[in-house]
């Protein structure tokens, strides 16, 4: 009998987020933990990310990447979708519910995340520009528009559409980027939603594994 293939993912050798779980390999780690799939991690430096050996797996020189036998993937959303398709636990069995969960994955990445990333760009790359004070409130209000809409849709439900799914996994990881800004606290149901995601045992295992890399003591996965 052949041995099962253990996927290999790439992650930052030294994460710029200081081990806060914001790097995109966190999404992949969490998904793998949710479905109970063992995995290995290959750490990549910022310099190595731009080298041809890594760009074979990620043409844009970023992380994460995912290798499983002769399959190589990049983009965290595509990787999580592959994991959810390959293993039970992240997508509903019902076809319509499954389609809705996938829709929420796209919504997290294409609708909610862009203005949040714009806020990070504005703060870190434009803070010394003459237009910063005028631009910042515009970016923040774009985020609040999305959060308000998402808050209204979530209401008092635990998850976006019935049981926890890959759509929630992606949305929680996107919203986590706002914790330091304090904006998430303006929407108590969204703050509770994110906290509920962080409380999942699979999330905690993934977070601890990513943090251990930053602290210099990677666990055996």
């Amino acid at each position: 009998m052949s041995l099962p293939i253990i996927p290999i993912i790439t992650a930052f050798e030294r994460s710029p987020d200081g081990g806060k779980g914001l790097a995109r390999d966190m999404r992949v780690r969490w998904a793998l933990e949710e479905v109970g799939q063992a995995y290995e991690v290959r750490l990549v430096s910022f310099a190595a990310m731009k080298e041809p050996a890594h760009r074979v797996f990620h043409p844009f020189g970023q992380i994460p990447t995912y290798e499983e036998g002769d399959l190589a993937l990049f983009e965290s959303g595509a990787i999580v979708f592959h994991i959810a398709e390959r293993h039970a636990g992240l997508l509903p069995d019902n076809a319509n519910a499954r389609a809705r969960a996938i829709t929420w994955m796209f919504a997290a990445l294409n609708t909610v995340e862009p203005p949040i990333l714009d806020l990070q760009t504005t703060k870190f790359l434009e803070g010394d520009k003459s237009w910063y004070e005028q631009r910042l409130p515009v970016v923040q209000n774009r985020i609040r528009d999305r959060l308000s809409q998402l808050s209204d849709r979530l209401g008092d439900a635990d998850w976006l559409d019935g049981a926890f799914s890959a759509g929630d996994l992606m949305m929680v990881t996107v919203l986590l980027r706002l914790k330091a800004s304090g904006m998430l606290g303006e929407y108590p149901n969204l703050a509770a939603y994110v906290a509920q995601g962080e409380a999942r045992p699979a999330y905690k295992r993934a977070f601890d594994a990513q943090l251990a890399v930053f602290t210099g003591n990677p666990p055996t996965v």
Side-chain angles (χ1 to χ4, degrees), residues 8-10 24-25 27-29 31-32 58 63-67 72-85 105 170:
I8 301 171
I9 70 171
T10 51
R24 286 178 172 84
D25 63 287
R27 301 166 178 180
V28 178
R29 291 176 186 269
L32 289 166
H58 200 309
I63 61 98
T65 62
Y66 177 97
E67 301 164 56
L73 299 173
F74 63 97
E75 291 294 333
S76 61
I79 297 169
V80 170
F81 180 57
H82 169 75
I83 294 167
E85 287 267 273
M105 292 182 68
M170 297 305 294

Side-chain angles (χ1 to χ4, degrees), residues 150-205:
L150 183 62
S151 175
D152 289 345
R153 181 56 181 263
L154 179 65
D156 60 0
D158 290 335
W159 305 113
L160 291 169
D161 194 289
F164 176 84
S165 75
D168 294 295
L169 186 152
M170 297 305 294
M171 189 66 77
V172 168
T173 58
V174 165
L175 294 176
L176 276 167
R177 293 181 174 274
L178 285 175
K179 283 187 72 174
S181 73
M183 295 178 68
L184 196 61
E186 299 173 20
Y187 305 86
N189 65 332
L190 294 184
Y193 170 71
V194 170
Q196 187 167 252
E198 291 179 287
R200 292 181 70 85
Y203 177 90
K204 292 179 178 179
R205 291 193 297 270

Side-chain angles (χ1 to χ4, degrees), residues 22 45-46 49-50 57 95 98 107 116 125 130 151 155 158 174 188 190 212 216 219:
L22 303 181
S45 68
F46 286 105
M49 285 167 54
K50 308 306 177 184
F57 299 102
R98 189 182 189 90
I116 295 174
L125 298 182
S130 60
S151 175
D158 290 335
V174 165
L190 294 184

Side-chain angles (χ1 to χ4, degrees), residues 14-176:
R14 197 69 176 170
S15 180
D17 74 346
K20 295 184 176 69
L22 303 181
R24 286 178 172 84
D25 63 287
M26 179 64 190
R27 301 166 178 180
V28 178
R29 291 176 186 269
W30 186 5
L32 289 166
E33 293 287 355
E34 285 284 352
V35 301
Q37 172 62 58
Y39 63 99
E40 297 178 0
V41 180
R42 183 170 66 248
L43 301 179
V44 184
S45 68
F46 286 105
M49 285 167 54
K50 308 306 177 184
E51 294 294 328
H54 181 70
R55 291 171 76 100
V56 167
F57 299 102
H58 200 309
F60 305 108
Q62 299 175 329
I63 61 98
T65 62
Y66 177 97
E67 301 164 56
E68 183 183 4
D70 59 359
L71 174 66
L73 299 173
F74 63 97
E75 291 294 333
S76 61
I79 297 169
V80 170
F81 180 57
H82 169 75
I83 294 167
E85 287 267 273
R86 187 68 64 93
H87 302 273
L90 284 175
L91 289 175
D93 293 330
N94 176 270
N96 287 351
R98 189 182 189 90
R100 291 194 301 269
I102 295 168
T103 298
W104 279 114
M105 292 182 68
F106 279 85
L109 297 177
N110 293 346
T111 302
V112 180
E113 187 169 45
I116 295 174
L117 294 179
D118 198 19
L119 176 64
Q120 295 178 333
T121 300
T122 300
K123 285 186 172 182
F124 294 115
L125 298 182
E126 301 176 4
D128 60 346
K129 306 301 182 183
S130 60
W131 62 79
Y132 175 75
E133 294 297 333
Q134 290 73 39
R135 175 165 161 72
L136 183 61
V138 174
V139 175
Q140 290 173 326
N141 286 335
R142 285 181 59 220
I143 294 172
R144 288 189 173 97
D145 285 343
R146 290 296 183 226
L147 294 182
S148 179
Q149 293 160 349
L150 183 62
S151 175
D152 289 345
R153 181 56 181 263
L154 179 65
D156 60 0
D158 290 335
W159 305 113
L160 291 169
D161 194 289
F164 176 84
S165 75
D168 294 295
L169 186 152
M170 297 305 294
M171 189 66 77
V172 168
T173 58
V174 165
L175 294 176
L176 276 167

